[in-house]
Amino acid sequence: MLAKQNAVVELLRISPVADELTALFTKAGQSLFLVGGSVRDALLGRLGNDLDFTTDARPDQVMRLVSGWADAVWDIGIEFGTVGLTKNGATCEITTFRADAYDGVTRNPEVRFGDSITDDLKRRDFTVNAMAVNLATKQFVDPYGGMDGLAARVMDTPAAPEESFGDDPLRMMRAARFVSQLGFTAAPRVVEAMTAMAEQIERITPERIQVELSKLLCGAHPRAGVELMVDSGLAQHVLPEVPAMRLEIDEHHQHKDVYQHSLVVLEQAIDLEESAEPDLVLRLAALLHDIGKPDTRRHIPGGGVSFHHHEVVGAKMVRKRLRALRYSKEIIENVADLVFLHLRFHGYGKGEWTDSAVRRYVTDAGPLLDRLNKLVRADCTTRNRRKAQALQRSYDDLEARISRIAAEEDLARVRPDLDGNEIMRLLGIPAGPLVGKAWKFLKDLRLDRGPLDHDDAVAELFAWARTQGLGPYPADGQQVADDAEQVDDHDPDDQAG
């Protein structure tokens, strides 16, 4: 552990921003500490360009000290004692020592500035975030055992967890988030406090909860974070559809443990991610793809269980829950669409789909196709090796067919063979709902039969128009189409004469 302390000191010694800030504050007679997540991440070898500092200087003093030195300064958080700045590509936040008091109703403290680094560290959320380095003396400050917690990879609180969570219930979500991000476990007393106080999370706004949930799901170990939320009862107040998937299983009506299955699907979907950036939409869809099963479970006489239309019910539940958590409309619709479509592949069988069915699969998925393919692959959790291999071959075959048809027909932009303007001209109708119906008919035809040549598309349009009571139109649309093209070729001035 001494080696890790020395690593932090060495890092600070060669950091121009830290050195320059230290000189500014020391000259003014003020102390300056690197603190919190910055110290934790330095010890874990993952320190970035965002640095957190704390000081005994009051906010107005901090503003005077950094103005003219920093590349940019902002005071958005100054009422809470925080001044932000950038310097040489580093983003820094400098916060005055705090000794806050909480009202026990909201998570908003009565801000009080303090004079002690020890008291400031005690009010922080977890011991691994309650370490500091005195930048002037290079002294390591760890009054609450943060280094021990880091070595044991355990999340604990500086104060009693009941006090910490009572001050700010969002810290319970942060515990689960750090379990996911850092791969740590929560101390037993932390889990006990979370279990006893889970309902207090309802004091927190949905927006704040959503931010922590998203960070949890985008962490390196989201399954562990979700399990902590569920086991402590926190998920019952944040994402109740997830613990609801823990369905009872009896010896006569056996089925997979839907909750455990969903956690495995989440892990397998993550393994399929191709970008270094986590895919929040895919991860949400993987976790929630089966949330419609509890509401659609039916016992089959003689044994067995069915979950008919759980994808339809699940998509509705996703929209409702993600709206409550204040996710963006785009995220809500994308996740709901993936949940709705995730069973579509299972009609593929051994390749019985026609090219028309493949086109519809691609068109219905739209820009979500790549994510849908990943979700479908991740949804295979059978322990039957032969069945799993057969499913993988089917996935491979479908993706190969999609690639072939896409190369031939530009599936990413499937549109009717005639556009709206040509439909209006050929049928002699104005813009309106009827044009939309004709456009949809031609698009469905395009999906069923692939690209049509122009004459065949016109003939099909006329045939459809006759079924709608329009016309009369000739059975062979060629002459009318030619006439329309000839009219278009005339000079407008000639027609005016």
Side-chain angles (χ1 to χ4, degrees):
M1 197 57 66
L2 179 60
K4 290 188 176 182
Q5 294 183 33
N6 291 338
V8 173
V9 172
E10 179 64 18
L11 180 140
L12 295 176
R13 187 182 67 78
I14 63 174
S15 171
V17 170
D19 286 346
E20 291 176 28
L21 268 176
T22 303
L24 288 174
F25 279 73
T26 301
K27 185 177 180 180
Q30 306 293 334
S31 60
L32 186 69
F33 295 80
L34 188 72
V35 72
S38 292
V39 176
R40 179 200 70 218
D41 288 344
L43 292 170
L44 292 172
R46 45 179 278 173
L47 183 65
N49 290 324
D50 292 347
L51 302 175
D52 294 325
F53 301 90
T54 188
T55 179
D56 55 356
R58 295 310 189 244
D60 57 338
Q61 293 174 286
V62 175
M63 287 291 291
R64 288 196 300 270
L65 287 170
V66 300
S67 295
W69 170 80
D71 297 330
V73 179
W74 58 91
D75 61 0
I76 295 175
I78 200 165
E79 64 179 305
F80 297 102
T82 300
V83 174
L85 63 90
T86 58
K87 179 70 174 181
N88 296 335
T91 300
C92 307
E93 288 191 348
I94 306 173
T95 303
T96 301
F97 292 160
R98 298 264 292 270
D100 302 335
Y102 289 81
D103 59 14
V105 178
T106 69
R107 68 181 294 267
N108 299 321
E110 177 187 341
V111 178
R112 298 176 185 171
F113 299 132
D115 299 297
S116 164
I117 182 63
T118 301
D119 291 345
D120 178 86
L121 294 176
K122 185 177 181 180
R123 54 166 287 280
R124 294 177 181 268
D125 52 5
F126 300 104
T127 60
V128 296
N129 296 330
M131 298 179 285
V133 176
N134 187 317
L135 294 172
T137 65
K138 301 297 189 283
Q139 179 186 3
F140 193 80
V141 183
D142 182 21
Y144 303 106
M147 190 71 80
D148 292 338
L150 206 63
R153 304 183 72 78
V154 171
M155 301 297 301
D156 203 350
T157 52
E162 292 80 7
E163 178 184 341
S164 182
F165 299 155
D167 286 345
D168 183 359
L170 188 62
R171 289 172 173 170
M172 294 187 286
M173 282 294 299
R174 287 170 62 83
R177 188 246 287 187
F178 283 124
V179 163
S180 170
Q181 287 183 327
L182 302 176
F184 288 14
T185 58
R189 69 172 192 159
V190 167
V191 177
E192 291 175 10
M194 290 175 66
T195 304
M197 303 175 68
E199 65 180 10
Q200 292 202 35
I201 196 65
E202 295 182 8
R203 289 164 45 193
I204 306 301
T205 64
E207 290 84 357
R208 292 281 188 176
I209 293 173
Q210 179 241 102
V211 169
E212 293 298 326
L213 178 62
S214 296
K215 289 180 178 179
L216 182 159
L217 289 175
C218 290
H221 311 278
R223 176 173 181 163
V226 172
E227 288 177 329
L228 176 56
M229 286 178 56
V230 171
D231 293 344
S232 67
L234 193 62
Q236 191 64 44
H237 303 275
V238 173
L239 206 58
E241 295 81 1
V242 172
M245 289 191 288
R246 295 188 295 185
L247 302 176
E248 292 182 5
I249 301 175
D250 61 52
E251 60 181 333
H252 301 295
H253 297 94
Q254 293 187 3
H255 57 81
K256 288 182 180 177
D257 183 321
V258 182
Y259 168 64
Q260 292 295 330
H261 163 75
S262 297
L263 294 178
V264 173
V265 173
L266 172 61
E267 291 182 313
Q268 294 185 165
I270 292 170
D271 289 340
L272 294 172
E273 289 179 351
E274 297 170 350
S275 170
E277 291 297 318
D279 188 338
L280 176 61
V281 167
L282 177 62
R283 294 183 183 204
L284 279 166
L287 178 64
L288 303 178
H289 75 284
D290 275 347
I291 61 171
K293 280 190 172 180
D295 285 354
T296 58
R297 180 173 63 163
R298 299 291 182 271
H299 293 301
I300 299 172
V305 178
S306 70
F307 302 98
H308 291 310
H309 305 302
H310 75 268
E311 76 282 8
V312 178
V313 173
K316 293 178 180 177
M317 294 171 67
V318 162
R319 286 190 175 91
K320 182 177 180 181
R321 176 54 52 196
L322 297 190
R323 285 191 192 112
L325 288 170
R326 306 294 193 269
Y327 277 97
S328 70
K329 183 177 180 181
E330 180 181 12
I331 289 178
I332 293 170
E333 290 307 311
N334 284 345
V335 176
D337 286 347
L338 287 171
V339 171
F340 179 74
L341 292 170
H342 83 275
L343 283 186
R344 185 75 60 86
F345 167 81
H346 293 284
Y348 187 73
K350 297 181 180 179
E352 292 92 346
W353 276 5
T354 61
D355 282 357
S356 169
V358 174
R359 291 188 197 98
R360 289 185 178 278
Y361 180 81
V362 172
T363 303
D364 289 347
L368 295 173
L369 179 62
D370 184 58
R371 284 174 169 143
L372 180 59
N373 288 340
K374 289 181 172 63
L375 177 60
V376 167
R377 285 184 179 274
D379 197 21
C380 174
T381 61
T382 178
R383 294 181 180 179
N384 185 316
R385 191 172 179 180
R386 183 175 298 176
K387 183 178 180 181
Q389 290 175 341
L391 283 170
Q392 291 299 327
R393 286 194 296 270
S394 294
Y395 302 148
D396 293 341
D397 183 65
L398 175 59
E399 291 189 11
R401 289 183 65 187
I402 290 172
S403 296
R404 174 182 61 78
I405 297 172
E408 294 171 354
E409 304 178 16
D410 192 12
L411 282 182
R413 296 187 297 171
V414 171
R415 300 181 66 81
D417 296 285
L418 307 174
D419 65 17
N421 289 328
E422 196 166 6
I423 291 170
M424 289 188 287
R425 184 174 66 249
L426 289 168
L427 298 185
I429 59 176
L434 191 58
V435 178
K437 288 179 64 177
W439 191 94
K440 184 178 185 304
F441 163 77
L442 289 173
K443 180 177 179 181
D444 288 341
L445 191 67
R446 167 75 167 75
L447 290 170
D448 286 337
R449 292 170 51 181
L452 302 178
D453 65 37
H454 185 271
D455 293 346
D456 288 343
V458 171
E460 292 289 351
L461 175 65
F462 287 161
W464 173 84
R466 288 194 297 274
T467 67
Q468 304 299 307
L470 304 175
Y473 297 109
D476 180 359
Q478 177 64 48
Q479 184 60 49
V480 174
D482 289 345
D483 292 344
E485 290 174 3
Q486 290 170 13
V487 169
D488 282 350
D489 289 341
H490 289 171
D491 190 293
D493 291 335
D494 292 341
Q495 294 180 44

